[in-house]
Amino acid sequence: MRKFNFCAGPAALPQPVLEQAQRELLDWQGLGCSVMEVSHRSPEFVEVAERAEQDLRDLLSVPSNYKVLFLQGGATGQFSAVPWNLLGAGSSKAEFIHSGSWAAKAIKEARRYGEVNVVASSEDRNFSYAPAADSWQSSGDAAYFHYTPNETIGGVEFGYVPEVECPLVADMSSTILSQPIEVEKFGVIYAGAQKNIGPSGIAVALIRDDLLDRSLENIPRSLSWKVAAEAGSMDNTPPTFAWYLSGLVFQWLKGQGGVDAMAKQADAKSKMLYDFLDSSDFFSSPVEEGSRSRMNVPFVLADDRLDKQFLIESEEAGLLSLKGHRSVGGMRASLYNAVPMEAVEALVAFMADFEARKA
């Protein structure tokens, strides 16, 4: 019996996708072998790759002047790829909003290749909120402006898209495909797959065409967006199984009603959990109300001596991976697309019972 998985990543995958992959594992498309055993350049796999790209374009309404890339190295690889690809044409400055752990990692990497201007930070209140748009101002001379719309660890989500003069770059690893986005507002969108797209081992990037010729000299070939775009994301052997599974997730999302349907579900799931937290004297959210994430919900117990018991009992109840990130402690429930409403209902019921017994 499958349990309810609240892991922040690698995260839950849709059960129908896993079942299809299971059926096809040994004999894919009647070829007598697995999709993992065929050439990435075979007609059969090229069709998988092309359909995955088109389905992602359809889901996010990606304009024709954007390349859709399937890349290795996860979002962390893109922390390096972004400055490598964008700091070579004029300005060597990048601007950032520092909203938590993942923004910090992107900032640290960008500083290796150019000047970084942090225009706003929420460090003053332990990264418990998203800095307001009127609290900062871009200098106007940066090569790009980077932000993290959702901080997976801290559970902070931006309620707006920054308006800047330079290309806007967003790490959407934990929110992509959870709601409609206006791709045209961004120069670059990148995301690790292991939350709302598919398994770990692959990342997607949407790159506006005019940004493909701005790289630093001697950019590593494996990090070049231009090389990847010209090769159809196949300059070297790609992670074919992760690409195949991501494509199945895209098809599943279309069958569920696309990102509009996912947005409604995300709102309903997160509201149920936040409503419980706000009504409780035993559990609470450390995130300011206007910045709470729909995808990642951290929470703490009034008595942290009960943390270990909570985790033991929740796992026994079939509620997996509720331990908070090691850097912040507490608990965290990740509510990605593949986590059903029934999982949240079960979690809230368990928390209410635990409170009744332990408070």
Side-chain angles (χ1 to χ4, degrees), residues 211-234:
L211 301 179
L212 292 174
D213 291 305
R214 300 193 181 189
S215 67
L216 294 167
E217 293 184 8
N218 301 316
I219 182 174
R221 186 177 182 89
S222 61
L223 292 181
S224 171
W225 294 334
K226 184 174 183 179
V227 168
E230 290 175 345
S233 300
M234 294 188 185

Side-chain angles (χ1 to χ4, degrees), residues 179-191:
Q179 62 184 338
I181 55 176
E182 295 181 68
V183 175
E184 298 90 340
K185 290 186 175 182
F186 301 86
V188 177
I189 294 170
Y190 66 93

Side-chain angles (χ1 to χ4, degrees), residues 53-289:
E53 176 181 338
Q54 188 58 56
D55 285 341
L56 183 56
R57 285 185 179 275
D58 293 344
L59 285 163
L60 294 178
S61 300
V62 180
S64 60
N65 65 320
Y66 283 72
K67 295 292 187 291
V68 175
L69 306 180
F70 292 84
L71 305 167
Q72 300 184 56
T76 298
Q78 295 308 299
F79 294 163
S80 301
V82 169
W84 267 111
N85 281 277
L86 296 179
L87 291 181
S91 176
S92 61
K93 179 193 293 186
E95 294 189 325
F96 283 78
I97 300 177
H98 186 5
S99 54
S101 297
W102 292 111
K105 291 178 184 294
I107 289 168
K108 182 179 180 180
E109 193 64 16
R111 282 186 170 139
R112 299 179 60 192
Y113 309 107
E115 177 186 353
V116 168
N117 176 33
V118 177
V119 303
S121 172
S122 54
E123 189 172 8
D124 62 327
R125 299 203 293 272
N126 197 30
F127 301 111
S128 61
Y129 69 99
D134 59 3
S135 68
W136 52 266
Q137 186 173 357
S138 172
S139 65
D141 62 348
Y144 66 91
F145 186 107
H146 182 286
Y147 84 121
T148 307
N150 185 84
E151 285 283 357
T152 314
I153 293 174
V156 169
E157 184 172 359
F158 282 73
Y160 66 93
V161 176
E163 295 184 6
V164 293
E165 296 180 10
C166 58
L168 180 61
V169 179
D171 173 6
M172 290 194 180
S173 294
S174 50
T175 55
I176 195 167
L177 295 170
S178 70
Q179 62 184 338
I181 55 176
E182 295 181 68
V183 175
E184 298 90 340
K185 290 186 175 182
F186 301 86
V188 177
I189 294 170
Y190 66 93
Q194 66 275 10
K195 303 177 189 297
N196 270 330
I197 295 175
S200 59
I202 198 168
V204 300
L206 314 180
I207 317 290
R208 204 173 63 217
D209 288 348
D210 64 297
L211 301 179
L212 292 174
D213 291 305
R214 300 193 181 189
S215 67
L216 294 167
E217 293 184 8
N218 301 316
I219 182 174
R221 186 177 182 89
S222 61
L223 292 181
S224 171
W225 294 334
K226 184 174 183 179
V227 168
E230 290 175 345
S233 300
M234 294 188 185
D235 184 58
N236 64 334
T237 305
T240 54
F241 191 63
W243 200 339
Y244 152 80
L245 278 174
S246 298
L248 294 186
V249 172
F250 299 156
Q251 294 169 33
W252 175 80
L253 284 169
K254 281 186 159 184
Q256 298 299 303
V259 293
D260 290 316
M262 292 300 104
K264 292 177 181 178
Q265 290 187 30
D267 290 343
K269 290 185 295 186
S270 58
K271 183 179 186 302
M272 174 177 289
L273 184 48
Y274 285 123
D275 283 350
F276 173 78
L277 292 173
D278 290 341
S279 69
S280 171
D281 295 323
F282 189 78
F283 296 96
S284 62
S285 167
V287 181
E288 296 185 13
E289 188 169 349

